Amino acid sequence: MKAYMGIDIGSVSTNIVIIDNNNEVLHSLYARTNGQPIETVKNGLKEIASKLDKDIKISAVGTTGSGRQLVGIMVGADVVKNEITAHATATASEVPDVKTIFEIGGQDSKIIVLEDQMVTDFAMNTVCAAGTGSFLDHQAERLGVPIEEFGSLALTAQRNVRIAGRCTVFAESDMIAKQQYGFSKAEIINGLCQALVRNYINNLGRGKKLKPPYVFQGGVAANEGIKAAFEKEINHKVIVPKHYDIMGAIGSAILAKDHISREGIQTNFRGFQSTDLDFTPSTFQCNDCSNFCEVIKVELEGQIVAMWQDRCGKYSNTKEVI
């Protein structure tokens, strides 16, 4: 039986999924990246391999996320795609008429606008923590509320309270002040959810024509309070897909499957034994022009197997992947 693997390597978490020909998820794995993408993926592949039936053959592999190039080299990926393309592909597969995607992950957030399943506009926030999963984790810990209960507690709020959400520092100080005014945890958390969504729409949605159907995905989509805040802000129902937290990995698997089918080629997948290979990443600064690019180099047994992040392509275009 043919199956297809997608790997989404983020700064906070790594997701690995196996899908079948109908894009149904057969297996999935979530792991904390902990700043060690290679080791995380190696351990994840070993775990996934132990769960696969013997008749399943991995026929294509795709990678996405911030660590996509590095892990793509390690596993022998057939396609390496950015998060926007991967998320849009997965969502269009599950909600074919989707027009707007709200995606909030651990360290960044995105908004993607589609027309006829094609991405026509997008925006990413990678520099501000306000509205990301890590900020919510921090606030849940500070308030002594398990993050799993954060959203449902927000829905029990009896009063509305406005929290400043444009900056994590202001938001936290405002929450502390509102606690001192006597508002309950539920009311403060509900106010925080509304503030984060307000900030998200104002920053990422500015100047964009947002249309339904709206799909909300990423790890934060598990938060019922954030979903309710989105629906209140845009005055429309928001869809949370079944596999909301692994859509990037699903999308990269679908893209790899389509690539192999379209080109009529065999996969480059190195096999699960690639976890035994010793890949060594390093960086150096190129001083040949004013860009001063920090070039990433990956070696296997002393041989350079990949180089990237050079704007001119001087290095990335001259090294072949073995």
Side-chain angles (χ1 to χ4, degrees), residues 41-201:
V41 171
K42 282 184 175 181
N43 293 333
L45 289 177
K46 288 177 182 175
E47 187 173 338
I48 282 283
S50 69
K51 295 178 179 177
L52 288 183
D53 293 337
K54 291 183 179 177
D55 65 333
I56 288 182
K57 178 185 177 186
I58 301 299
S59 301
V61 178
T63 61
T64 188
S66 58
R68 59 186 181 273
Q69 290 100 339
L70 177 60
V71 173
I73 293 298
M74 188 185 99
V75 300
D78 301 293
V79 296
V80 178
K81 294 290 185 180
N82 62 57
E83 298 100 311
I84 299 295
T85 303
H87 276 276
T89 299
T91 311
S93 173
E94 187 158 336
V95 185
D97 56 345
V98 60
K99 293 287 192 300
T100 306
I101 300 172
F102 306 133
E103 199 278 338
I104 304 180
Q107 291 284 7
D108 62 23
S109 52
K110 319 171 187 63
I111 192 167
I112 307 172
V113 179
L114 301 94
E115 195 67 43
D116 297 328
Q117 300 193 350
M118 298 291 291
V119 176
T120 57
D121 198 2
F122 70 91
M124 290 184 68
N125 172 22
T126 59
V127 297
C128 177
T132 65
S134 59
F135 179 61
L136 291 175
D137 276 344
H138 173 66
Q139 294 309 319
E141 184 179 353
R142 193 183 64 81
L143 291 168
V145 177
I147 188 63
E148 296 81 8
E149 300 172 12
F150 207 73
S152 57
L153 183 59
L155 299 182
T156 67
Q158 299 297 312
R159 295 174 295 177
N160 287 324
V161 56
R162 188 177 180 88
I163 301 291
R166 293 186 64 81
C167 169
T168 57
V169 176
F170 293 148
E172 184 164 320
S173 62
D174 201 23
M175 290 170 66
I176 293 171
K178 296 296 166 45
Q179 280 180 285
Q180 293 169 341
Y181 294 160
F183 289 99
S184 68
K185 283 187 180 179
E187 290 162 347
I188 290 171
I189 291 172
N190 186 50
L192 176 63
C193 290
Q194 294 178 3
L196 296 187
V197 168
R198 201 165 53 242
N199 185 41
Y200 174 96
I201 294 292

Side-chain angles (χ1 to χ4, degrees), residues 216-235:
F216 179 28
Q217 58 198 47
V220 177
N223 188 313
E224 298 171 85
I226 297 289
K227 177 178 179 288
F230 265 120
E231 291 179 333
K232 182 179 180 181
E233 183 71 21
I234 60 178
N235 194 29

Side-chain angles (χ1 to χ4, degrees), residues 214-276:
Y214 302 101
V215 176
F216 179 28
Q217 58 198 47
V220 177
N223 188 313
E224 298 171 85
I226 297 289
K227 177 178 179 288
F230 265 120
E231 291 179 333
K232 182 179 180 181
E233 183 71 21
I234 60 178
N235 194 29
H236 199 282
K237 178 185 175 185
V238 169
I239 301 168
V240 175
K242 179 181 177 182
H243 299 293
Y244 60 87
D245 54 344
I246 53 174
M247 296 297 275
I250 293 174
S252 64
I254 295 173
L255 288 163
K257 183 192 73 170
D258 292 347
H259 172 73
I260 290 294
S261 174
R262 185 172 56 250
E263 300 297 326
I265 56 178
Q266 297 295 312
T267 180
N268 293 318
F269 181 42
R270 295 179 188 271
F272 288 105
Q273 64 273 20
S274 65
T275 58
D276 297 326

Side-chain angles (χ1 to χ4, degrees), residues 279-322:
F279 292 90
T280 305
S282 61
T283 65
F284 66 91
Q285 179 175 295
C286 176
N287 297 312
D288 288 356
C289 74
S290 58
N291 285 327
F292 299 113
C293 296
E294 183 185 19
V295 182
I296 297 175
K297 179 174 67 175
V298 179
E299 295 177 275
L300 173 62
E301 298 176 347
Q303 184 175 356
I304 299 172
V305 295
M307 301 175 82
W308 68 86
Q309 211 157 279
D310 48 333
R311 295 184 185 180
C312 66
K314 174 182 177 181
Y315 298 99
S316 55
N317 291 338
T318 54
K319 294 295 178 185
E320 294 185 357
V321 177
I322 65 172

